[in-house]
């Protein structure tokens, strides 16, 4: 395990895979660097890139200095870029894509290019109101120490089938998911607003917005809106893929755009 420190002193744990241009992999909600689907993604991407797969703060082996803010997560990304040589490509998935977008706005030429998959901002006022209620429920459960209930409530609230949520405790990784539950509040904070179209229009670096063909219509709507306002953004719909895209299907798009 490798570690580095963010600006506020938070320890960040990371693994490095492969050779080639540096790619910082920014994961989404309830994910961490040793989660098997994330490891598999990193290994696929490593056939073309040097992949920096890190635990976002509060996850896995990384620390969690409070209070949380998006600024601290951007500082974490900057720390990872510095470890990678001072400049890097970014690939963000879900709430990680939100962080990659913000890093593109805030970190100047340290970000060479950014690829964003399935940006999950709320897409209209009605969804925003529903999501606020979901966020309040999750935060209340977390404040009571009910991590399992918070995770189940969140997953059902974002559309995961109830039967799948019901059987989750039977899987070996359920204990880790419960431990990650407090970070759901961070992901909700990142995604609870409408997409920042005016700010996104100021992004100057090459940006690739990708959405799964089978991803929710709200995610597709947000992705289309952002692709239209970001100058010279490239947009693709990944055929046959949903929110959890197959890395082997995604890699040719990333390779063609980033390299």
């Amino acid at each position: 395990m490798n570690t580095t420190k963010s600006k506020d002193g938070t320890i960040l744990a990371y693994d490095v895979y492969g050779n080639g241009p540096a790619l910082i992999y920014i994961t989404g909600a309830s994910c961490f660097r040793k989660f098997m689907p994330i490891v598999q993604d990193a290994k696929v991407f490593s056939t073309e890139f040097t992949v920096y797969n890190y635990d976002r703060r509060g996850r896995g082996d990384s620390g969690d200095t409070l209070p949380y803010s998006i600024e601290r997560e951007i500082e974490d990304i900057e720390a990872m870029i510095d470890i990678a040589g001072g400049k890097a490509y970014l690939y963000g998935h879900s709430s990680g894509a939100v962080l990659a977008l913000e890093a593109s706005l805030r970190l100047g030429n340290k970000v060479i290019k950014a690829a964003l998959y399935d940006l999950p901002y709320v897409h209209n006022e009605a969804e925003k109101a529903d999501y606020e209620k979901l966020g309040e429920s999750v935060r209340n459960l977390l404040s009571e120490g009910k991590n399992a209930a918070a995770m189940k409530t969140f997953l059902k609230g974002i559309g995961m089938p109830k039967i799948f949520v019901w059987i989750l405790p039977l899987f070996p990784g359920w204990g880790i998911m419960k431990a990650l539950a407090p970070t759901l509040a961070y992901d909700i904070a990142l995604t609870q607003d409408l997409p920042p179209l005016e700010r996104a229009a100021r992004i100057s670096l090459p940006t690739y917005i990708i959405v799964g063909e089978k991803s929710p219509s709200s995610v597709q709507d947000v992705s289309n809106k952002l692709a239209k306002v970001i100058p010279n953004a490239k947009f693709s719909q990944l055929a046959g893929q949903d929110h959890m895209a197959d890395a082997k299907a995604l890699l040719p798009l990333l390779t063609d755009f980033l390299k």
Side-chain angles (χ1 to χ4, degrees):
M1 182 180 72
N2 303 294
T3 62
T4 190
K5 281 188 179 181
S6 193
K7 186 176 180 179
D8 69 351
T10 301
I11 298 296
L12 303 175
Y14 67 95
D15 296 320
V16 184
Y17 299 87
N19 294 290
L23 176 68
I24 312 298
Y25 184 9
I26 312 170
T27 57
S30 72
C31 291
F32 62 108
R33 81 181 200 287
K34 290 185 177 180
F35 183 38
M36 191 50 62
I38 299 301
V39 173
Q40 291 170 348
D41 286 353
K43 288 183 176 179
V44 170
F45 298 154
S46 73
T47 61
E48 296 287 346
F49 302 94
T50 299
V51 180
Y52 291 79
N53 179 27
Y54 76 103
D55 281 327
R56 285 172 53 191
R57 58 177 54 213
R59 306 167 187 227
D61 296 306
S62 288
D64 191 20
T65 306
L66 299 176
Y68 173 82
S69 72
I70 185 174
E71 288 78 15
R72 302 296 81 77
E73 286 231 60
I74 301 304
E75 290 169 1
D76 297 347
I77 294 170
E78 184 173 20
M80 293 307 307
I81 293 174
D82 289 342
I83 285 292
K87 292 187 177 183
Y89 299 124
L90 302 183
Y91 169 64
H93 169 254
S94 196
S95 61
V98 172
L99 288 171
L101 185 149
E102 290 293 336
S104 299
L105 282 164
R106 303 179 193 215
L107 296 182
N109 61 9
K110 285 193 169 186
V111 180
I112 305 169
K113 296 181 180 181
L116 320 174
Y117 187 86
D118 267 16
L119 287 147
Y121 296 101
V122 295
H123 80 295
N124 59 29
E125 291 294 341
E127 186 183 25
K128 180 178 169 69
D130 290 340
Y131 199 56
E132 286 176 353
K133 293 178 182 177
L134 174 62
E136 184 177 4
S137 296
V138 170
R139 287 188 293 270
N140 286 341
L141 289 167
L142 290 173
S143 69
E144 297 170 4
K146 298 178 180 178
N147 285 14
M151 181 61 75
K152 290 179 180 180
T153 297
F154 176 77
L155 293 175
K156 286 188 288 187
I158 63 172
M160 186 171 286
K162 291 181 179 180
I163 184 63
F164 185 75
V165 175
W166 184 78
I167 65 172
L168 265 178
L170 303 178
F171 286 83
W174 177 240
I176 296 175
M177 291 192 74
K178 288 192 294 182
L180 291 171
T183 64
L184 294 175
Y186 306 165
D187 293 292
I188 290 170
L190 291 172
T191 58
Q192 65 189 355
D193 294 317
L194 296 167
L197 301 181
E198 290 186 11
R199 292 177 58 245
R202 301 200 296 268
I203 293 176
S204 58
L205 58 88
T207 307
Y208 194 6
I209 295 180
I210 309 169
V211 63
E213 180 186 29
K214 297 180 179 180
S215 294
S217 59
S218 59
V219 172
Q220 302 211 27
D221 179 55
V222 165
S223 299
N224 274 288
K225 286 178 178 176
L226 283 165
K228 289 176 181 177
V229 300
I230 296 174
N232 302 312
K234 183 176 181 179
F235 174 83
S236 289
Q237 187 180 73
L238 189 54
Q241 299 300 311
D242 56 19
H243 190 60
M244 301 303 292
D246 183 340
K248 291 181 180 179
L250 185 58
L251 181 61
L253 277 65
L254 296 181
T255 303
D256 180 65
F257 174 72
L258 296 177
K259 296 179 72 173

